[in-house]
């Protein structure tokens, strides 16, 4: 059985299990749009392939795992599990979800099956997976380029695969600059970097990220709004942490629809050198800057943003 919330890890495992079989010996059933009769599957597993070779059968979303089975079905499945065909590898799988362990079908099959269950990768697991996946591709990428792909993929295997597809369409050799252009950073990441540059009073880096933001063709009022939201987020994380909440609890409180604590952990990096009094002062300056922005043209807007960076970086 192969299942898990990560589609790509499930697909990788299926590809690994089936690669030793010729294409004509690989068969599939799909129960996502209807029934997958137990008898039909076991009959196919016991049948010889077209040329008498071993076969590989994949059953996606086996419907009898998700409903009450009839006694006849249970007996048919038990008979096959107790006496399987040694000329066939039979795999029940589910992508993006789990196979219910409390179902009759699962309890029967697990007695004589290997189980591959894939949850969301931990950060270090994702890094190892990403390096292995990238090295398997027909691409020549510098070490710095590989590191940047991993950073821009943010622990998401789907984003990793998408980024690598874009690079393969570009060519067989990719530098860090190519990766930077084809795999753009998320706005949230650049906002975190801008906030950190302001906090660390690194003016040149702050202006660099302001330039990066301008290249995204967003207006300054929107940037002010995003920055204000980010500082309010930092204030909330600081307050909740000081009142005894751990990382997981804070993540659930501030982003109830998200399963990731990524933003909270990024916030901790900033809060090492930023307290809530500092945050309130910056929010006040953002408010004044926003008022000034709305009264001037685009050229004046750039000047107001520059003044905000100068003031918050502690230069003016």
């Amino acid at each position: 059985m192969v299942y898990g919330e990560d589609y790509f890890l499930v697909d990788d495992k299926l590809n690994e299990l089936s690669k030793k079989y010729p294409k004509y010996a690989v068969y599939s059933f799909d129960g996502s749009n209807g029934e997958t009769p137990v008898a039909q599957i076991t009959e196919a597993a016991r049948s010889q392939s077209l040329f008498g070779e071993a076969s590989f059968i994949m059953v996606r979303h086996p419907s009898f795992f998700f409903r009450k089975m009839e006694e006849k079905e249970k007996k048919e499945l038990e008979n096959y599990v107790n006496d399987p065909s040694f000329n066939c590898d039979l795999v029940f799988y589910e992508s993006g979800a789990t196979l219910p362990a409390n179902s009759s079908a699962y309890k029967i099959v697990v007695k004589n099956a290997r189980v591959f269950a894939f949850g969301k990768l931990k950060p270090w697991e994702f890094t190892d997976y990403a390096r292995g996946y990238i090295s398997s591709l027909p691409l020549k990428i510098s070490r710095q380029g590989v590191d940047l792909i991993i950073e821009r993929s943010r622990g998401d295997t789907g984003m990793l695969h998408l980024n690598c597809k874009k690079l393969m369409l570009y060519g067989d050799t990719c530098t860090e600059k190519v990766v930077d252009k084809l795999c753009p950073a998320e706005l949230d990441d650049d906002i975190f970097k801008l906030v950190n540059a302001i906090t660390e009073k690194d003016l040149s880096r702050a202006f660099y990220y302001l330039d990066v933001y301008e290249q995204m063709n967003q207006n300054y009022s929107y940037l002010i709004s995003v920055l204000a939201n980010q500082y309010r987020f930092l204030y909330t994380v600081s307050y909740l942490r000081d009142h005894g909440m751990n990382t997981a609890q804070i993540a659930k409180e501030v982003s109830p629809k998200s399963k990731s604590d990524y933003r909270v952990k990024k916030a901790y990096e900033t809060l090492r050198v930023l307290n809530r009094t500092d945050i309130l002062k910056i929010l006040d300056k953002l408010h004044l800057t926003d008022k000034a922005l709305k009264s001037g043209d685009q050229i004046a807007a750039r000047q107001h943003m520059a003044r905000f960076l100068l003031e918050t970086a502690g230069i003016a």
Side-chain angles (χ1 to χ4, degrees), residues 184-301:
E186 291 288 329
L187 179 58
D188 275 356
D189 276 348
D190 283 330
I191 293 298
F192 269 120
K193 291 173 182 177
L194 176 56
V195 168
N196 284 339
I198 292 170
T199 303
E200 294 164 13
K201 304 198 181 301
D202 188 333
L203 190 62
S204 62
R205 190 154 55 97
F207 272 106
Y208 169 79
Y209 286 115
L210 179 62
D211 290 339
V212 168
Y213 178 83
E214 287 175 345
Q215 292 171 18
M216 296 179 181
N217 296 316
Q218 299 279 9
N219 63 52
Y220 290 116
S221 291
Y222 181 72
L223 175 58
I224 291 291
S225 173
V226 175
L227 280 171
N229 284 337
Q230 182 57 38
Y231 279 106
R232 283 193 287 267
F233 174 76
L234 288 169
Y235 188 96
T236 303
V237 170
S238 174
Y239 178 86
L240 294 176
R241 184 182 62 179
D242 289 350
H243 282 74
M245 283 194 178
N246 61 33
T247 303
Q249 291 170 328
I250 295 172
K252 186 176 180 180
E253 180 71 22
V254 298
S255 303
K257 293 184 179 180
S258 174
K259 295 181 180 180
S260 174
D261 57 8
Y262 174 82
R263 291 186 69 212
V264 175
K265 289 179 178 177
K266 293 290 285 185
Y268 288 164
E269 297 175 12
T270 305
L271 291 170
R272 285 181 301 197
V273 291
L274 192 70
N275 60 45
R276 292 200 292 276
T277 300
D278 294 330
I279 293 173
L280 290 175
K281 289 179 180 178
I282 292 172
L283 283 170
D284 186 52
K285 290 183 184 297
L286 281 171
H287 175 67
L288 294 174
T289 304
D290 187 46
K291 287 179 66 175
L293 284 174
K294 290 174 180 175
S295 63
D297 57 23
Q298 189 66 13
I299 296 176

Side-chain angles (χ1 to χ4, degrees), residues 37-288:
V38 175
Q40 185 179 347
I41 294 168
T42 56
E43 182 181 352
R46 289 193 175 100
S47 301
Q48 291 288 328
S49 66
L50 186 61
F51 296 100
E53 296 179 285
S55 60
F56 185 83
I57 297 177
M58 299 181 289
V59 185
R60 178 188 179 193
H61 190 78
S63 57
F64 47 88
F65 274 72
F66 298 89
R67 60 168 173 78
K68 185 176 180 180
M69 294 180 72
E70 296 179 4
E71 288 303 317
K72 183 180 179 180
E73 292 178 308
K74 289 183 185 179
K75 187 173 182 180
E76 176 65 34
L77 187 59
E78 285 175 338
N79 287 341
Y80 183 82
V81 169
N82 293 331
D83 184 24
S85 169
F86 292 99
N87 210 35
C88 173
D89 274 345
L90 175 61
V91 176
F92 299 107
Y93 78 96
E94 181 74 10
S95 292
T98 62
L99 290 173
N102 61 345
S103 67
S104 298
Y106 189 102
K107 292 175 181 177
I108 292 170
V109 174
V110 77
K111 294 175 184 177
N112 193 21
R114 290 182 296 168
V115 178
F116 301 96
F118 298 100
K120 184 174 176 60
L121 293 176
K122 294 179 173 59
W124 61 89
E125 293 173 331
F126 177 79
T127 298
D128 290 342
Y129 169 80
R131 292 192 187 284
Y133 176 73
I134 294 169
S135 67
S136 72
L137 301 174
L139 282 172
K140 292 181 180 179
I141 308 177
S142 66
R143 181 177 59 81
Q144 294 85 353
V146 171
D147 290 341
L148 188 56
I149 295 171
I150 294 172
E151 177 187 336
R152 296 281 170 88
S153 297
R154 300 180 65 184
D156 186 329
T157 55
M159 183 61 69
L160 172 69
H161 283 245
L162 177 61
N163 285 335
C164 289
K165 281 184 179 180
K166 288 189 286 188
L167 294 172
M168 285 191 287
L169 289 172
Y170 171 83
D172 58 4
T173 302
C174 298
T175 63
E176 184 181 8
K177 288 184 178 180
V178 171
V179 174
D180 185 47
K181 293 293 184 183
L182 295 182
C183 307
E186 291 288 329
L187 179 58
D188 275 356
D189 276 348
D190 283 330
I191 293 298
F192 269 120
K193 291 173 182 177
L194 176 56
V195 168
N196 284 339
I198 292 170
T199 303
E200 294 164 13
K201 304 198 181 301
D202 188 333
L203 190 62
S204 62
R205 190 154 55 97
F207 272 106
Y208 169 79
Y209 286 115
L210 179 62
D211 290 339
V212 168
Y213 178 83
E214 287 175 345
Q215 292 171 18
M216 296 179 181
N217 296 316
Q218 299 279 9
N219 63 52
Y220 290 116
S221 291
Y222 181 72
L223 175 58
I224 291 291
S225 173
V226 175
L227 280 171
N229 284 337
Q230 182 57 38
Y231 279 106
R232 283 193 287 267
F233 174 76
L234 288 169
Y235 188 96
T236 303
V237 170
S238 174
Y239 178 86
L240 294 176
R241 184 182 62 179
D242 289 350
H243 282 74
M245 283 194 178
N246 61 33
T247 303
Q249 291 170 328
I250 295 172
K252 186 176 180 180
E253 180 71 22
V254 298
S255 303
K257 293 184 179 180
S258 174
K259 295 181 180 180
S260 174
D261 57 8
Y262 174 82
R263 291 186 69 212
V264 175
K265 289 179 178 177
K266 293 290 285 185
Y268 288 164
E269 297 175 12
T270 305
L271 291 170
R272 285 181 301 197
V273 291
L274 192 70
N275 60 45
R276 292 200 292 276
T277 300
D278 294 330
I279 293 173
L280 290 175
K281 289 179 180 178
I282 292 172
L283 283 170
D284 186 52
K285 290 183 184 297
L286 281 171
H287 175 67
L288 294 174

